[in-house]
Amino acid sequence: MRTFTSADDILAAVGETLGTSEWLTVTQERVNQFAEATGDHQWIHVDVERANAESPFGGPIAHGYLTLSLVPMLAWQIYSIENAKLGINYGSNKVRFPSPVPVGSDVQLTATLSEATTKPDGSVEMIVTQSLTVRDAPKPALVAETITRVAF
């Protein structure tokens, strides 16, 4: 766990790989819950029988936005920010889903602090490159730059 306690800590860590999360199994139950929460019931995600028969991936896959939504939970295993008055998710850059996440597969997140800048209000903006991989897959399932603003 990489812990930041000040703006200077963050600024000094630019370019650093912050770490890697534990493995998380993406279950059909999680996919179904995401479908319910978002209204995205596309068969390739939720119709297991049809996905097993017709999907080019050999079965159901997680929603791309489900994989993106796992980033905060997995990132909390990698790094934390202490002594902050406020931290907010400010957005994402360059979100890509290069390969699918088959239901039942294990995923893991690696985070790298790509940029950090001090903003005019004194807050620090962190751009963290997040890469979510599927165990034994040749390329990542998700690559995204997340933007966080932190005020100390």
Side-chain angles (χ1 to χ4, degrees), residues 111-146:
T112 301
L113 181 58
S114 302
E115 293 180 45
T117 55
T118 303
K119 304 311 281 181
D121 65 1
S123 66
V124 175
E125 182 174 278
M126 302 170 64
I127 298 179
V128 180
T129 301
Q130 312 279 5
S131 180
L132 187 85
T133 56
V134 174
R135 191 187 301 266
D136 300 324
K139 58 185 176 179
L142 165 76
V143 178
E145 292 179 348
T146 58

Side-chain angles (χ1 to χ4, degrees), residues 2-14 16 82-83 113 116 152:
R2 178 69 161 90
T3 302
F4 298 105
T5 59
S6 69
D8 288 340
D9 282 352
I10 295 170
L11 295 167
V14 171
E16 181 180 319
E82 296 180 356
N83 304 323
L113 181 58
F152 288 94

Side-chain angles (χ1 to χ4, degrees), residues 7-55:
D8 288 340
D9 282 352
I10 295 170
L11 295 167
V14 171
E16 181 180 319
T17 296
L18 304 177
T20 301
S21 73
E22 296 179 13
W23 291 102
L24 172 75
T25 302
V26 177
T27 64
Q28 187 64 53
E29 178 182 10
R30 185 182 295 268
V31 170
N32 293 345
Q33 289 172 338
F34 188 82
E36 283 300 315
T38 63
D40 182 352
H41 297 279
Q42 185 182 24
W43 67 267
I44 201 162
H45 307 301
V46 298
D47 188 335
V48 175
E49 187 175 307
R50 183 174 177 192
N52 286 338
E54 298 178 32
S55 168

Side-chain angles (χ1 to χ4, degrees), residues 62-69 94-101 132 139-144:
H63 304 75
Y65 284 110
L66 169 56
T67 63
L68 182 61
S69 75
K94 301 178 185 176
V95 176
R96 300 291 184 266
F97 306 106
S99 65
V101 175
L132 187 85
K139 58 185 176 179
L142 165 76
V143 178

